[in-house]
Amino acid sequence: MSDKAVPPRVVVLGGGSAGWITACLIHKEWGHRGGSVTLVESPEIGIIGVGEGSTPQLKALLDHLGIDEAAFMTACDATYKLGIRFTGWSERPGFESYFHPFPGPVDLHTEPDFVANCALARRGFEVPALPDDWFLAARLADGRKSPIPGPDFPFGPSYGYHFDAYKLGAFLRDWAVPRGVVHKAAKVAEVALDGAGDVAALMCEGDERIEGDVFVDCSGFAAVIAQRALGGRFIPFEENLFNDRAVVMPTPHSAPYRPQTDAVAMSAGWRWSIPLTTRVGNGYVYSSKHISDEAAEAELRAACGSSADARFLKMRVGRMEHSWHRNCLAAGLSQGFIEPLEATALHIVISTALEFVRAFERGGSTGEHRDRFNAGAAARYDGIRDYIVAHYRMSQRTDTPYWTANRTNPNLSDELKGMINAWFTQADIAVANAESYTEPPYSPMSWHALFAGYGTFPDPDKMRALPNGAIGADAEAIARMLDACVRNFPALPTPDPH
Ligand SMILES: Cc1cc2nc3c(=O)[nH]c(=O)nc-3n(C[C@H](O)[C@H](O)[C@H](O)COP(=O)(O)OP(=O)(O)OC[C@H]3O[C@@H](n4cnc5c(N)ncnc54)[C@H](O)[C@@H]3O)c2cc1C
């Protein structure tokens, strides 16, 4: 689309996080050039209202839109997130819990040593290889520190947030509407197609007709346009990932908190614990083939001590074959969903919206750009799926049928098989990652953290000391350096529940 071309009239269906993020991003790109964005949502249907963790992409979104971080954090009861602590996924002594950090500039100094020690441990040498020991974010989270350093230390790690999912959409709405996004509260009863089969308009109850050039389906699992009207094909991931339900319940705020999501293994899944400023969000993501709703609720209640009402959710796990079909882009839960272990859903929404704008700018709805966009979106989902499957595959738990089924699940993509094979054959993980994935969604550091975090090394009785004269990385020097770095970060304020 040249500078002079008129941007399309965009209609977004859905006012959950995905709808408002997409509306904000598209309006920012095209609003000042005459493009219009109209968002339609049904207050009667409401939003899913879970999803309280982000990657650093949410911080990047705020920066991109020019939104004040403090205003967002106050409005959404948000806390910082420096990474995820996985607990109980491995029974190997010394690896019962590990921290997966978001990266930062200090890691450039420590990651090579971590990778070197992993290489030794993969060959059976007894050297420190737990990710926690090598990354600043792990130390900061453990010490309950803010990710934002003092002015003399410009090397803070990247970070995401925990936030109230109900409040995020409302916050973005209040940002977008004064800037020109048109907001309509209406229930879409029908999608009108034109003679060519493209979407012409959304027909609302009460007979309002909303026309547009491009329609973004952010209607959640209902996928009103992308699937129901246009018949787009959904590719399920149920053979790769077994979890299809979640039960959630809050607990009162427990201060002080750590700026991390806790992902704790359960008998038929895992539970999250997410600190907000006003409460702690808890959820158990489980496989309905392996545990009943009642038993899952009881297990979560016992683990987190909540007496609040439980809320159950069904998850449709997989992705659309084509995220962009005809003149409709699917974003958010209508586009696809991978269980929330890595909290990647909003990350994908942001990437989808930005990539769509770029592809559309290049060639409108012409096939070549749309196909390339779709291939990229599919690869992103599949790559994230693989990484999450790897968590289960490497988990080292065999104490329930659920964990055994995951450990022995034969449904691995060729790309994931390539990564696992590379790890066990002592091949270079960075090379394997680049060869397996065109645009790798996870870095070599993340793969190392996952494999090493679960203690994916030769059996403990086969591990041996380094031969005389050989040295591993100097873990003590790294520890001293990281401790010195930590002193530049202030303690987190104790939240004040209101
Ligand atoms: C258990 C669980 C945990 C999750 N955890 C995370 C996490 O930690 N991090 C993360 O990033 N994501 C997470 N997610 C995903 C996250 O919840 C969603 O990606 C996010 O909320 C966006 O949802 P959405 O906007 O696509 O859909 P929804 O919130 O369901 O919104 C759909 C919108 O469409 C509207 N709508 C539907 N039909 C019609 C109609 N006919 N007419 C008019 N309007 C209509 C609704 O009113 C609503 O406004 C999690 C999801 C689940 C299920």
Side-chain angles (χ1 to χ4, degrees):
M1 199 165 69
S2 73
D3 277 355
K4 288 193 185 122
V6 180
R9 294 168 301 162
V10 178
V11 178
V12 178
L13 171 58
S17 312
W20 283 111
I21 286 174
T22 310
C24 287
L25 282 171
I26 293 181
H27 181 73
K28 164 136 176 112
E29 301 301 323
W30 289 338
H32 63 286
R33 285 157 59 189
S36 69
V37 179
T38 302
L39 185 145
V40 193
E41 65 167 320
S42 160
E44 186 192 314
I45 296 174
I47 66 169
I48 191 161
V50 283
E52 302 181 323
S54 87
T55 66
Q57 191 85 337
L58 185 56
K59 160 99 175 92
L61 172 80
L62 299 180
D63 292 347
H64 180 72
L65 295 175
I67 290 177
D68 176 50
E69 178 181 69
F72 152 74
M73 292 188 76
T74 305
C76 299
D77 304 337
T79 65
Y80 295 119
K81 173 179 170 186
L82 280 157
I84 305 175
R85 175 161 291 286
F86 296 89
T87 301
W89 290 64
S90 171
E91 286 161 353
R92 181 172 179 137
F95 296 87
E96 296 89 348
S97 175
Y98 78 95
F99 186 88
H100 186 298
F102 291 141
V106 171
D107 303 344
L108 294 175
H109 301 281
T110 59
E111 186 184 335
D113 284 336
F114 170 56
V115 169
N117 262 22
C118 284
L120 289 170
R122 286 157 73 191
R123 290 166 54 205
F125 293 112
E126 194 74 68
V127 291
L130 189 70
D132 304 38
D133 299 334
W134 304 91
F135 295 102
L136 178 59
R139 273 211 169 30
L140 292 173
D142 236 27
R144 300 188 165 99
K145 297 280 191 162
S146 161
I148 300 172
D152 299 332
F153 189 82
F155 306 113
S158 54
Y159 60 88
Y161 307 98
H162 305 115
F163 52 90
D164 184 322
Y166 279 106
K167 294 183 176 176
L168 177 62
F171 175 77
L172 291 176
R173 177 197 64 210
D174 292 347
W175 183 87
V177 171
R179 285 166 177 79
V181 172
V182 177
H183 181 206
K184 286 183 186 283
K187 186 170 176 185
V188 170
E190 205 184 316
V191 177
L193 304 183
D194 65 18
D198 286 342
V199 181
L202 302 182
M203 310 299 297
C204 302
E205 285 181 355
D207 275 354
E208 187 176 5
R209 177 184 167 94
I210 303 172
E211 295 186 349
D213 304 311
V214 168
F215 292 80
V216 187
D217 186 344
C218 295
S219 64
F221 286 132
V224 171
I225 312 176
Q227 265 192 277
R228 282 202 210 155
L230 294 178
R233 184 170 159 247
F234 184 78
I235 299 176
F237 289 165
E238 63 199 8
E239 293 193 340
N240 315 93
L241 291 167
F242 301 152
N243 296 342
D244 57 355
R245 299 275 169 95
V247 53
V248 298
M249 57 183 78
T251 41
H253 195 288
S254 66
Y257 64 89
R258 288 197 165 84
Q260 67 188 28
T261 296
D262 278 295
V264 183
M266 303 286 272
S267 71
W270 62 278
R271 75 179 163 92
W272 76 74
S273 167
I274 285 184
L276 305 188
T277 55
T278 47
R279 61 175 164 81
V280 176
N282 307 282
Y284 181 2
V285 179
Y286 57 94
S287 155
S288 61
K289 289 203 180 83
H290 294 90
I291 193 170
S292 68
D293 291 346
E294 297 71 29
E297 178 185 344
E299 199 182 341
L300 177 61
R301 218 174 264 295
C304 72
S306 175
S307 54
D309 288 345
R311 192 177 150 216
F312 290 90
L313 297 132
K314 287 188 180 154
M315 305 185 303
R316 188 186 65 144
V317 178
R319 65 163 167 86
M320 294 298 290
E321 181 180 21
H322 303 302
S323 296
W324 178 3
H325 181 49
R326 294 188 170 274
N327 61 339
C328 170
L329 171 72
L333 296 172
S334 64
Q335 181 190 15
F337 181 59
I338 310 174
E339 67 136 283
L341 185 60
E342 290 279 328
T344 45
L346 296 188
H347 183 114
I348 297 176
V349 170
I350 296 165
S351 305
T352 296
L354 289 173
E355 294 288 322
F356 171 76
V357 167
R358 276 182 217 127
F360 198 92
E361 296 255 349
R362 276 186 225 117
S365 288
T366 52
E368 184 198 343
H369 296 288
R370 193 171 49 199
D371 292 350
R372 204 175 302 155
F373 167 88
N374 280 331
R380 189 177 301 124
Y381 272 102
D382 296 352
I384 293 172
R385 176 204 60 200
D386 283 0
Y387 191 76
I388 294 183
V389 171
H391 278 285
Y392 291 100
R393 187 73 190 192
M394 297 299 130
S395 72
Q396 314 242 358
R397 274 186 80 140
T398 48
D399 56 326
T400 65
Y402 170 86
W403 288 102
T404 306
N406 270 296
R407 291 270 299 147
T408 54
N409 183 5
N411 298 307
L412 308 180
S413 71
D414 288 344
E415 290 81 3
L416 179 54
K417 282 183 197 156
M419 294 306 297
I420 294 174
N421 188 45
W423 182 263
F424 283 111
T425 56
Q426 282 99 44
D428 187 320
I429 287 297
V431 171
N433 198 26
E435 283 176 355
S436 298
Y437 300 100
T438 320
E439 287 179 38
Y442 286 91
S443 66
M445 183 281 274
S446 285
W447 283 104
H448 277 93
L450 187 155
F451 285 119
Y454 294 126
T456 316
F457 302 121
D459 288 343
D461 57 4
K462 297 206 176 85
M463 299 297 280
R464 59 201 189 281
L466 280 171
N468 279 345
I471 47 166
D474 189 345
E476 285 176 17
I478 297 272
R480 279 195 302 277
M481 195 265 279
L482 291 177
D483 284 341
C485 291
V486 166
R487 286 198 276 278
N488 293 282
F489 292 79
L492 283 170
T494 302
D496 176 21
H498 44 268

